[in-house]
Every structure is written in C-alpha cells, then in structure tokens.
Amino acid sequence: MIKARGLARRFTTKSGPVDAVRGVDIDVAEGELVGFLGPNGAGKSTTLRMLTTLLQPTAGEAIIAGHDLLTDPAGVRRNIGYVGQKNGAGLDQRVGDELDFQARFYGLSKHDARRKVADLLERFELQGMEKRAVITLSGGQQRRLDIAMGMLHDPRLLFLDEPSTALDPQSRRNLWDHIRQLKADGTTVFLTTHYLDEADFLSDRLLVIDHGSIVGEGSPDELKNSVSGDLVVLGTPQAAIVATKFPDAVVDGDKVSFRIPNGDRALPGLLRDLGDLGVELHSVQVHRPTLDDVFLTMTGRSLREEADAA
Amino acid sequence: MLRDTWLVFCRVMLPVLRNPVAIVFGLAQPLLYLGLFGPLLGDTGWQWFVPGLLVQMALFGTAYAGFSLLPEVRTGVMERLRVTPVSRVALLVGRVGKDVVLLVVQGLLIMLAAMLFGFRASPGEILLGLGLVALLGVAIGSASYAIALKVKLEYVFASVLSSTIVPLMLLSGVLLPMSNGPKWLYWLSRVNPLAHVVDAERSIFNTGSVLLGLAAVSVLVLAGVFYGVRTFHRESA
C-alpha cells in the first residue's frame, strides 16, 4: 500500500540547510495498522506530508495506493484519506455542509454524498449534529468529524497525523476504538504519534524515527523484546545480597531491581534459588519493557523526557 | 475543474447566505461616503462621484478578502482541501468568485441608492459599470489571497494592505479630480493603473473612452490571477 525509497526532505533556512528527513524507506502492506513513532521534531509530520502530496520530497520516490507520488499526485490524492494534526473543518461551517462538500470534492454525486454523509455521521457518533456550527463542537467531536471527512470516499489507505493530541482521556479512548474499527473494516492505517501508549495500543507494527532516520521497526512486542529482558523489582531487607547475583542490579533502600530475559518464566526458579540462599522477600514485581525503554535503547534518549520538555 | 470551482464557491458562499447581515455591513462604508461626502460635490457631482465610489468598493471589498483565508490556513482547513483531488486553481477561483459576486450585489445596491440622490444610469451602463468593477475585483481578490497565503500572519497582512491600498486609492482620483492638483501629482496618478480604471468607469456613465481603463484592468487581471494561481500551486498551506 505504501512503498517509499530514500524519501528525503531538506529545508533551506536562514541558518543553513536542515535535513528534516534523511532518506527513509517505508513499506506498509494492505490492511496493516502502522504506527510512526518519534519525538517532536523527529521528522514524522514531514514524512507524512511528503507521503500525502502536501510536500515535495527533495529526494527519493514512493508508490502510494498504487500511484506514483512524483508523477501522479492527483491519483494518490484520489485514493488516500488524510487527517491532519489540526482540525480540518471550517469553524464558520455547519457539520453537515462540510461533510457534504468534502464528499463532493472527492467526486461523489449529490445523492451518493448524502447517503455517505448519513452513514459516517452515524459511524462516528455525530448523528443529529448536521446543523450544528463546527465551532460549537467539543474537541473529541471535532476530531471524529475530521476522521469522517477523511473517510467519505472510502479510501483504502488512511493517514492520521497525531490523532489524539489535545483530547481528554475518555475521548481519546473513544477515538482509538474508532481507529481500530477502521482497521477491522479493512482500511490500511498509517498514523504518527509521540504517545507510547497510543502506539502500543493501536499498532500492528511500529516504525521508530529519530533525527530524520528510521532507527527501529517491528511489532510493539518485538521491539520490547529487543530490549534486553524484563525489569524485576524485589523488595527485601537483604537487597545487597541479591545485588551480588546480578551484575547490573540497582539497589534502592530495601528494593533491588535488575533485568532478566523472559522475566515471567524465569521468576519461579529465581525465587526458589533466592529462598535456598535464605533471602527473605516482601514483594515481587515484573515489568515488561515499555516502548519508552525501547526508544531509550534505540536513541539513548527517553521519549517521555522529550514529551515533558515539549 | 468547473465543477471544482463551483463547489469551492458554494462552500464559501453558504456561510454568507446563512448570515446575510455581513452583506449589509459591507454596504455601510460606501453608504457613508454617499451620504456624507457626495453632497459636498453639489448636484452635478453624482455622475462623477458614484463611478469612483464603485471602484473604491472593488478595491476595499476584495483587497481584504485574504483575511478570510488566514483562519483556514491556521487551522487545518486549507491542508485538508489540498489533499483532496480538487484543482488548486479552483481553490483560488471559487473564493474570488464569492467576493466578486458580493461586490456586484453591493455595487448594484449602491447605484440604486445613489439614484435616490440624483445619480442617473441606464441598465446598459449599470451592466457595463458592474462588469468593469467585477474585473478589478478578480484581479485584486486573487492577489489578496495569494499575499495572505504568503505572509500567513494577520498583522503582517494588515500592514501590507494599508501600505498599498491607501496610496493606490489616493492616487486614483476617486475622491477629487487629480487634474486639480500640481503637475507631479497628476503624473504620479497616471502611473497608477487604478486611476485609468476610475476614468473608464466614469466614461461609462458619462462620455469618453474606456479603452485605456479596459487595458489597465486586463493587465491587472492577468497579473493578479497569474500570481494567485502560481502561489496556490506552490505554497504549502
């Protein structure tokens, strides 16, 4: 559905050229839900803007939904849906009008547009809001309207740029359900996010981008497994004794933590061994690596710190 | 492409039709000129003043059109439209069409109001007069959207407008005849294409040639539309 090779974008700024994206290869198969994860400024949106014809690449080539990005951008546009980072509905417009015009922009007849709009209003829980001005909608409603506008022509491939930014947790969860439903209905989805939980929850496969290059790729579980082992935290008065058994162990008061591969399966044997040594245990915790750990391993920086700094 | 333009036109026209008060507000300024400035020119002044007022309406009415684009650039509206297969030219022309239609309606209303004061015009003259004003509106509207798309910020756009429109208006002879002034001022006004459009508009409702004004407005339309289309093709909104 997406096949991009060496896609790059250089911006010319006053302080010299900036390589926002340094030649990325992207392959997305039909029906996949792929997450594009990276900190702010990593090149996610620039890549997405190139894939959706909004920005001319300075190098590279791509076939998107069967059409060549460079020679047939109009063909690409007809076959993809795009939901940008910011709200796409005019604030002075009515919900029903915007959906209707959007359908007609994609070439639907008046009659087909009306049918499709009614269908999408229901699917995205916007029934009865046709006559409302867009400006009166809540953030979650506006976001659902954006996605509905991206789906009017039944695109086989939908791009979502930071879909849940600025939504409250409840609307966010609701939006995720809608996105998963799109995938269940057979739409290929490519979304960018800098939220780990979102990437983890939604994606079949993740591409991790940093400083304009793809630094990792795989399913959320594969990526987590690539971090060497699960984090085990034991509460014990003999933390120092336990620590001598594991080279990378960290002692913090009466807690000791270390990483072991496949922690859930290794733990029973481990606890038996410690019991034989006479170590007394108060608590046991096993943490699967998070995508934040993945990001840290791949880039040496924590995505969470980036998000906090932003 | 025609269908695209029509759709874009309808999309921007609909909010205006749903709230037509805006059209009335657009009439406030020319009405004030008509009521508070026109009488200063005496009974014979109307034939001379009203055509100039129409050109002034075209200038102010469409030069500010770009402001309506800025919120759509700042939110994701323009971006959303640019990802649809809609022709880039239609995105511009549909919008300009809305402004020109509004301009023609307002121009007609102002002429009818002026007739109450003593302005005289035949239906043919009205049609020609509105046609010339509409062409000017196309030129200035296209340029306005293109400049708005380039500068992107309201306050920059506002200062670009005020620093160009006021001199253009003063040097067009809309309010007082340029031939009354010193030679250098007169010759300066001859360099302003708008002055020739004003002359032509006056010729329509009186006597005289419209050729020079028609030539000036044609050049403006070509330049404005060319600049507008090029900018809408290039600029990533």
Side-chain angles (χ1 to χ4, degrees), chain A:
Chain A
M1 197 52 82
I2 302 178
K3 184 184 168 82
R5 288 292 170 268
L7 217 54
R9 175 72 201 199
R10 163 175 288 191
F11 291 107
T12 321
T13 66
K14 275 173 190 147
S15 49
V18 174
D19 289 305
V21 177
R22 302 160 190 264
V24 295
D25 297 344
I26 296 175
D27 291 279
V28 175
E30 181 146 14
E32 265 194 305
L33 203 165
V34 173
F36 200 34
L37 179 72
N40 290 320
K44 294 187 302 280
S45 287
T46 306
T47 305
L48 202 68
R49 292 170 65 80
M50 288 195 282
L51 294 174
T52 54
T53 76
L54 281 169
L55 193 66
Q56 191 88 19
T58 37
E61 55 186 19
I63 305 287
I64 315 284
H67 295 263
D68 190 299
L69 182 64
L70 302 178
T71 59
D72 185 17
V76 173
R77 285 188 202 118
R78 269 195 296 278
N79 287 283
I80 62 166
Y82 169 76
V83 179
Q85 221 170 99
K86 291 183 268 182
N87 291 117
L91 294 176
D92 57 347
Q93 300 278 347
R94 289 185 182 180
V95 172
D97 293 343
E98 274 296 57
L99 284 167
D100 196 57
F101 280 119
Q102 182 78 350
R104 310 263 289 130
F105 287 150
Y106 278 103
L108 272 70
S109 71
K110 248 184 187 153
H111 175 262
D112 290 348
R114 198 170 308 143
R115 206 168 36 83
K116 195 73 207 166
V117 168
D119 171 35
L120 283 170
L121 281 168
E122 193 184 322
R123 231 165 99 192
F124 289 95
E125 300 167 76
L126 296 165
Q127 329 72 317
M129 296 188 189
E130 300 92 307
K131 296 226 155 64
R132 290 260 300 270
V134 170
I135 200 166
T136 66
L137 299 186
S138 73
Q141 289 166 340
Q142 281 202 32
R143 213 61 191 131
R144 294 204 300 275
L145 174 59
D146 288 336
I147 298 183
M149 283 195 295
M151 292 300 296
L152 280 161
H153 55 304
D154 289 319
R156 291 181 301 148
L157 171 61
L158 181 69
F159 290 92
L160 298 166
D161 197 1
E162 305 276 355
S164 75
T165 298
L167 290 187
D168 59 77
Q170 203 184 343
S171 314
R172 212 166 160 232
R173 194 55 206 228
N174 172 278
L175 186 77
W176 287 358
D177 291 339
H178 281 293
I179 294 173
R180 288 189 96 155
Q181 189 56 45
L182 290 177
K183 181 199 145 59
D185 296 341
T187 313
T188 309
V189 182
F190 188 83
L191 65 89
T192 72
T193 181
H194 64 274
Y195 295 118
L196 296 159
D197 51 347
E198 184 162 88
D200 200 1
F201 182 81
L202 287 175
S203 319
D204 301 329
R205 199 156 59 83
L206 283 170
L207 300 174
V208 184
I209 186 169
D210 191 36
H211 294 307
S213 303
I214 290 182
V215 293
E217 183 182 349
S219 72
D221 279 337
E222 280 168 8
L223 287 178
K224 287 178 202 164
N225 286 336
S226 72
V227 176
S228 52
D230 301 338
L231 185 69
V232 177
V233 183
L234 301 178
T236 166
Q238 293 123 302
I241 299 174
V242 179
T244 57
K245 302 277 167 198
F246 301 95
D248 62 343
V250 176
V251 180
D252 178 15
D254 58 357
K255 282 204 163 34
V256 56
S257 53
F258 49 87
R259 285 189 184 276
I260 51 169
N262 300 316
D264 46 352
R265 261 173 286 158
L267 203 60
L270 182 89
L271 294 182
R272 234 184 352 259
D273 293 348
L274 288 174
D276 292 346
L277 284 173
V279 172
E280 191 187 336
L281 293 171
H282 298 306
S283 65
V284 177
Q285 290 170 359
V286 181
H287 299 284
R288 299 281 294 140
T290 63
L291 283 172
D292 193 41
D293 298 325
V294 173
F295 195 79
L296 186 67
T297 317
M298 283 174 179
T299 68
R301 288 181 298 132
S302 162
L303 197 58
R304 200 155 283 145
E305 286 161 21
E306 291 279 332
D308 290 344

Side-chain angles (χ1 to χ4, degrees), chain A residues 49 52 54-55 77-78 80 82 84 86-90 92-94 97-98 101-102 104-108 149, chain B residues 3-4 7-8 10-12 14-15 18 72-77 79-86 88 236-237:
Chain A
R49 292 170 65 80
T52 54
L54 281 169
L55 193 66
R77 285 188 202 118
R78 269 195 296 278
I80 62 166
Y82 169 76
K86 291 183 268 182
N87 291 117
D92 57 347
Q93 300 278 347
R94 289 185 182 180
D97 293 343
E98 274 296 57
F101 280 119
Q102 182 78 350
R104 310 263 289 130
F105 287 150
Y106 278 103
L108 272 70
M149 283 195 295
Chain B
R3 180 181 181 271
D4 286 354
L7 287 172
V8 173
C10 291
R11 179 179 174 270
V12 286
L14 207 54
R18 291 203 193 285
E72 305 231 307
V73 173
R74 188 147 321 116
T75 61
V77 179
E79 192 171 85
R80 161 199 139 210
L81 294 174
R82 284 165 44 88
V83 185
T84 70
V86 166
R88 316 290 93 167
S236 45

